[in-house]
Coordinates of all heavy atoms in Angstrom, one line a residue:
Y210 N 0.8 -1.2 0.0 CA 0.0 0.0 0.0 C 0.9 1.3 0.0 O 0.6 2.2 -0.7 CB -0.9 0.0 1.2 CG -2.0 -1.1 1.2 CD1 -2.5 -1.6 2.4 CD2 -2.4 -1.6 0.0 CE1 -3.5 -2.6 2.4 CE2 -3.4 -2.6 0.0 CZ -3.9 -3.1 1.2 OH -4.8 -4.1 1.2
A211 N 1.9 1.3 0.8 CA 2.8 2.4 0.8 C 3.5 2.7 -0.5 O 3.6 3.8 -1.0 CB 3.9 2.2 1.9
S212 N 3.8 1.6 -1.2 CA 4.4 1.7 -2.5 C 3.4 2.3 -3.5 O 3.8 3.2 -4.3 CB 5.0 0.4 -3.0 OG 5.5 0.5 -4.3
E213 N 2.2 1.8 -3.4 CA 1.2 2.3 -4.3 C 0.9 3.8 -4.1 O 0.7 4.6 -5.0 CB -0.1 1.5 -4.2 CG 0.0 0.1 -4.7 CD -1.2 -0.7 -4.4 OE1 -2.1 -0.2 -3.8 OE2 -1.3 -1.9 -4.9
L214 N 0.8 4.2 -2.8 CA 0.6 5.6 -2.5 C 1.8 6.5 -3.0 O 1.5 7.6 -3.5 CB 0.5 5.8 -0.9 CG -0.8 5.3 -0.3 CD1 -0.8 5.4 1.2 CD2 -2.0 6.2 -0.9
R215 N 3.0 6.0 -2.9 CA 4.1 6.8 -3.4 C 4.0 7.0 -4.9 O 4.3 8.0 -5.5 CB 5.4 6.1 -3.0 CG 5.9 6.3 -1.6 CD 7.3 5.9 -1.4 NE 7.5 4.5 -1.6 CZ 7.4 3.6 -0.7 NH1 7.1 3.9 0.6 NH2 7.6 2.3 -0.9
E216 N 3.6 5.9 -5.6 CA 3.4 6.0 -7.0 C 2.3 7.0 -7.4 O 2.5 7.8 -8.3 CB 3.1 4.6 -7.6 CG 4.3 3.6 -7.5 CD 3.9 2.2 -8.1 OE1 2.7 2.1 -8.4 OE2 4.8 1.4 -8.1
L217 N 1.2 6.9 -6.6 CA 0.1 7.9 -6.9 C 0.5 9.3 -6.7 O 0.2 10.2 -7.4 CB -1.1 7.5 -6.0 CG -2.3 8.4 -6.1 CD1 -2.9 8.4 -7.5 CD2 -3.4 8.0 -5.1
K218 N 1.3 9.5 -5.6 CA 1.8 10.9 -5.3 C 2.7 11.4 -6.5 O 2.6 12.5 -6.9 CB 2.6 10.9 -4.0 CG 3.2 12.2 -3.6 CD 3.9 12.2 -2.3 CE 4.5 13.5 -2.0 NZ 5.3 13.5 -0.7
Q219 N 3.6 10.5 -6.9 CA 4.5 10.9 -8.1 C 3.6 11.2 -9.3 O 3.9 12.2 -10.0 CB 5.4 9.8 -8.4 CG 6.5 9.5 -7.3 CD 7.4 8.4 -7.6 OE1 7.2 7.6 -8.5 NE2 8.4 8.1 -6.7
Q220 N 2.6 10.4 -9.5 CA 1.7 10.7 -10.7 C 1.0 12.1 -10.5 O 0.9 12.9 -11.5 CB 0.7 9.6 -10.9 CG 1.3 8.3 -11.3 CD 0.2 7.2 -11.3 OE1 -1.0 7.5 -11.1 NE2 0.6 6.0 -11.6
M221 N 0.5 12.4 -9.3 CA -0.2 13.6 -9.1 C 0.8 14.8 -9.2 O 0.5 15.9 -9.8 CB -0.8 13.7 -7.6 CG -1.9 12.7 -7.4 SD -3.3 13.1 -8.4 CE -3.8 14.6 -7.6
V222 N 2.0 14.7 -8.7 CA 3.0 15.8 -8.9 C 3.3 16.0 -10.3 O 3.4 17.1 -10.8 CB 4.3 15.4 -8.1 CG1 5.4 16.4 -8.4 CG2 4.0 15.4 -6.6
S223 N 3.4 14.9 -11.1 CA 3.7 15.1 -12.5 C 2.6 15.8 -13.2 O 2.8 16.6 -14.1 CB 4.0 13.7 -13.1 OG 4.2 13.8 -14.5
Q224 N 1.3 15.4 -12.9 CA 0.2 16.0 -13.5 C 0.1 17.5 -13.2 O -0.2 18.3 -14.0 CB -1.1 15.3 -13.1 CG -1.2 13.9 -13.7 CD -2.5 13.2 -13.3 OE1 -3.3 13.8 -12.6 NE2 -2.7 12.0 -13.7
L225 N 0.4 17.8 -11.9 CA 0.4 19.2 -11.5 C 1.4 20.0 -12.2 O 1.2 21.2 -12.6 CB 0.6 19.3 -10.0 CG -0.6 18.9 -9.1 CD1 -0.2 18.9 -7.6 CD2 -1.8 19.8 -9.3
E226 N 2.6 19.5 -12.4 CA 3.6 20.2 -13.1 C 3.2 20.4 -14.6 O 3.4 21.5 -15.1 CB 4.9 19.3 -13.1 CG 5.6 19.3 -11.7 CD 6.8 18.4 -11.7 OE1 7.0 17.7 -12.7 OE2 7.5 18.4 -10.7
N227 N 2.5 19.4 -15.2 CA 2.0 19.6 -16.5 C 1.0 20.7 -16.6 O 0.9 21.5 -17.6 CB 1.5 18.2 -17.1 CG 2.6 17.2 -17.3 OD1 3.7 17.5 -17.5 ND2 2.2 15.9 -17.2
L228 N 0.1 20.7 -15.6 CA -0.9 21.8 -15.6 C -0.3 23.1 -15.4 O -0.7 24.1 -16.1 CB -1.9 21.5 -14.4 CG -2.9 20.4 -14.6 CD1 -3.7 20.2 -13.3 CD2 -3.8 20.6 -15.7
D229 N 0.8 23.3 -14.6 CA 1.4 24.5 -14.5 C 2.1 25.0 -15.8 O 2.0 26.1 -16.2 CB 2.5 24.5 -13.4 CG 2.0 24.4 -12.0 OD1 0.8 24.8 -11.8 OD2 2.6 23.9 -11.1
K230 N 2.6 24.0 -16.5 CA 3.2 24.3 -17.8 C 2.1 24.8 -18.8 O 2.3 25.7 -19.6 CB 4.0 23.1 -18.4 CG 5.2 22.7 -17.6 CD 5.9 21.5 -18.2 CE 7.1 21.1 -17.4 NZ 7.8 19.9 -17.9
E231 N 1.0 24.1 -18.8 CA -0.1 24.4 -19.7 C -0.6 25.8 -19.4 O -1.0 26.6 -20.2 CB -1.2 23.4 -19.7 CG -0.8 22.0 -20.2 CD -1.9 21.0 -20.1 OE1 -2.9 21.3 -19.6 OE2 -1.7 19.9 -20.6
K232 N -0.7 26.1 -18.0 CA -1.2 27.4 -17.6 C -0.3 28.5 -18.1 O -0.7 29.6 -18.5 CB -1.3 27.4 -16.1 CG -1.8 28.7 -15.5 CD -1.8 28.7 -14.0 CE -2.2 30.0 -13.4 NZ -2.2 29.9 -11.9
E233 N 1.0 28.3 -17.9 CA 2.0 29.3 -18.4 C 1.9 29.5 -19.9 O 2.0 30.6 -20.4 CB 3.4 28.9 -18.0 CG 4.5 29.9 -18.4 CD 4.4 31.2 -17.6 OE1 3.7 31.2 -16.6 OE2 4.9 32.2 -18.1
A234 N 1.8 28.4 -20.6 CA 1.6 28.5 -22.1 C 0.4 29.3 -22.5 O 0.4 30.1 -23.4 CB 1.6 27.1 -22.7
L235 N -0.7 29.0 -21.7 CA -2.0 29.7 -22.0 C -1.8 31.2 -21.7 O -2.3 32.1 -22.5 CB -3.1 29.2 -21.2 CG -4.5 29.8 -21.3 CD1 -4.9 29.7 -22.8 CD2 -5.5 29.1 -20.4
R236 N -1.1 31.5 -20.6 CA -0.9 33.0 -20.3 C -0.1 33.6 -21.4 O -0.4 34.8 -21.7 CB -0.2 33.1 -18.9 CG 0.0 34.5 -18.4 CD 0.9 34.5 -17.2 NE 2.2 34.2 -17.5 CZ 3.1 35.0 -18.2 NH1 2.7 36.2 -18.5 NH2 4.3 34.6 -18.5
M237 N 1.0 33.0 -21.8 CA 1.8 33.6 -22.9 C 1.0 33.8 -24.2 O 1.1 34.8 -24.9 CB 3.0 32.7 -23.2 CG 4.0 32.6 -22.0 SD 5.3 31.4 -22.3 CE 6.2 32.2 -23.7
N238 N 0.1 32.8 -24.5 CA -0.8 33.0 -25.7 C -1.7 34.2 -25.5 O -1.9 34.9 -26.4 CB -1.6 31.7 -25.9 CG -0.7 30.5 -26.4 OD1 0.3 30.8 -26.9 ND2 -1.2 29.3 -26.1
L239 N -2.3 34.3 -24.3 CA -3.2 35.5 -24.0 C -2.4 36.8 -24.1 O -2.9 37.8 -24.7 CB -3.8 35.3 -22.6 CG -4.8 34.2 -22.5 CD1 -5.3 34.1 -21.0 CD2 -6.0 34.5 -23.4
D240 N -1.2 36.8 -23.6 CA -0.4 38.0 -23.8 C -0.1 38.3 -25.2 O -0.1 39.5 -25.7 CB 1.0 37.9 -23.0 CG 0.8 37.8 -21.5 OD1 -0.3 38.2 -21.0 OD2 1.7 37.3 -20.8
S241 N 0.2 37.3 -26.0 CA 0.4 37.5 -27.4 C -0.8 38.0 -28.1 O -0.8 38.9 -28.9 CB 0.8 36.2 -28.1 OG 1.0 36.3 -29.5
V242 N -2.0 37.5 -27.7 CA -3.3 37.9 -28.3 C -3.5 39.4 -28.0 O -3.9 40.2 -28.8 CB -4.4 37.1 -27.9 CG1 -5.8 37.7 -28.3 CG2 -4.3 35.7 -28.5
G243 N -3.2 39.7 -26.7 CA -3.4 41.1 -26.2 C -2.5 42.1 -27.0 O -2.9 43.2 -27.4
T244 N -1.2 41.7 -27.3 CA -0.3 42.5 -28.1 C -0.8 42.7 -29.5 O -0.8 43.8 -30.0 CB 1.1 41.8 -28.1 OG1 1.5 41.6 -26.8 CG2 2.0 42.7 -28.9
R245 N -1.4 41.6 -30.1 CA -1.9 41.7 -31.4 C -3.1 42.6 -31.5 O -3.3 43.4 -32.4 CB -2.2 40.3 -32.0 CG -1.0 39.4 -32.2 CD -1.4 38.0 -32.4 NE -2.1 37.9 -33.7 CZ -2.6 36.7 -34.1 NH1 -2.5 35.6 -33.3 NH2 -3.3 36.6 -35.2
V246 N -4.0 42.5 -30.5 CA -5.1 43.4 -30.4 C -4.7 44.8 -30.3 O -5.3 45.7 -31.0 CB -6.1 43.0 -29.2 CG1 -7.1 44.0 -29.0 CG2 -6.7 41.6 -29.5
D247 N -3.7 45.1 -29.5 CA -3.2 46.5 -29.3 C -2.7 47.0 -30.7 O -2.9 48.2 -31.0 CB -2.1 46.6 -28.3 CG -2.7 46.3 -26.9 OD1 -3.9 46.5 -26.7 OD2 -1.9 46.0 -26.0
R248 N -2.0 46.1 -31.4 CA -1.4 46.5 -32.7 C -2.5 46.8 -33.7 O -2.5 47.8 -34.4 CB -0.5 45.4 -33.2 CG 0.2 45.8 -34.5 CD 1.1 44.7 -35.1 NE 2.0 44.2 -34.1 CZ 2.0 42.9 -33.6 NH1 1.0 42.1 -34.0 NH2 2.9 42.5 -32.7

């Protein structure tokens, strides 16, 4: 059970890291759209 919990924790950490990366990419896209709108 302890081993399974560790594996689940690692999976959750990995998914959270991926979500943070996607969030940052989305923010950069929004900034780019804002710049284009200003132009």
Side-chain angles (χ1 to χ4, degrees):
Y210 294 154
S212 177
E213 292 176 354
L214 286 174
R215 284 193 297 270
E216 292 178 358
L217 179 61
K218 179 180 178 181
Q219 292 176 355
Q220 293 176 1
M221 293 295 292
V222 170
S223 176
Q224 292 180 0
L225 288 174
E226 291 176 352
N227 291 334
L228 286 175
D229 288 338
K230 293 179 181 178
E231 294 177 359
K232 178 181 177 181
E233 181 64 21
L235 179 60
R236 187 190 64 78
M237 295 177 64
N238 290 335
L239 289 175
D240 292 341
S241 176
V242 171
T244 303
R245 294 169 63 185
V246 169
D247 292 339
R248 187 183 303 116

